[in-house]
Amino acid sequence: MSWTTPKRAFIGAASAEGGTKLNAFDNALLKLGIGNVNLVKLSSVIPAHIEWIDEVHDVPIGMLLPTVYAHIESDEPGMTISAALGIGISENNEGGLIYEYAGYCTKEEAEEMVRKMVEEGFAMRGWKLAEFKVASASITVGEKPAAAIAAVVMFPY
């Protein structure tokens, strides 16, 4: 198998319920449009000059998709769970970083956590943060198991 540097990326987040925690996770993936592919977990570096797209489309069933994601599942009624990704883009879109967080917290708390991570990651590299994006999802567990996921999916085309 050969890998190429991604050219386009999609960012999104979703939450869902299901009959089990795994089904809740799968249902959240389906909401994002990535439930019928195989996610390949990446670390968190964004290639230079990536083009951001608004939706996932025309992806063959079973395709291997490089993805950075944060997720959490729970079956504890009354608990609020959240997942977030913070995306930092450098000046002139010369590259960037993605930081992920998931936990028993509010959406706002998860978003604040990834913002701090992006700022620290840029500071450690001496990069200037030109743009910050965030994707987050939150859900309070009811009678069924629930899941929250935030993802950046990268495409080679």
Side-chain angles (χ1 to χ4, degrees), residues 27 29 50 100-101 109 134:
N27 292 339
L29 291 174
I50 198 127
E100 58 270 17
Y101 179 79
E109 290 168 325
V134 66

Side-chain angles (χ1 to χ4, degrees), residues 8-123:
R8 299 183 315 147
F10 164 79
I11 179 174
S15 60
E17 294 180 325
T20 67
K21 290 190 286 188
L22 185 55
N23 288 112
F25 175 67
D26 185 47
N27 292 339
L29 291 174
L30 287 168
K31 278 186 175 181
L32 278 177
I34 56 174
N36 293 322
V37 298
N38 292 297
L39 305 179
V40 178
K41 184 107 174 161
L42 298 178
S43 58
S44 306
V45 177
I46 302 169
H49 307 294
I50 198 127
E51 174 191 347
W52 293 93
I53 60 175
D54 294 330
E55 64 181 280
V56 176
H57 52 81
D58 301 328
V59 180
I61 292 174
M63 182 177 181
L64 300 177
L65 280 180
T67 309
V68 178
Y69 60 96
H71 67 98
I72 185 169
E73 300 81 32
S74 178
D75 57 6
E76 299 176 52
M79 297 301 296
T80 298
I81 56 175
S82 299
L85 290 182
I87 297 95
I89 308 294
S90 65
E91 283 187 306
N92 301 315
N93 196 12
E94 294 293 329
L97 301 172
I98 306 167
Y99 284 89
E100 58 270 17
Y101 179 79
Y104 289 86
C105 62
T106 66
K107 182 177 175 174
E108 293 76 20
E109 290 168 325
E111 289 177 355
E112 182 59 25
M113 180 66 75
V114 295
R115 176 179 291 281
K116 288 178 182 176
M117 290 184 206
V118 167
E119 289 170 352
E120 181 177 338
F122 268 69

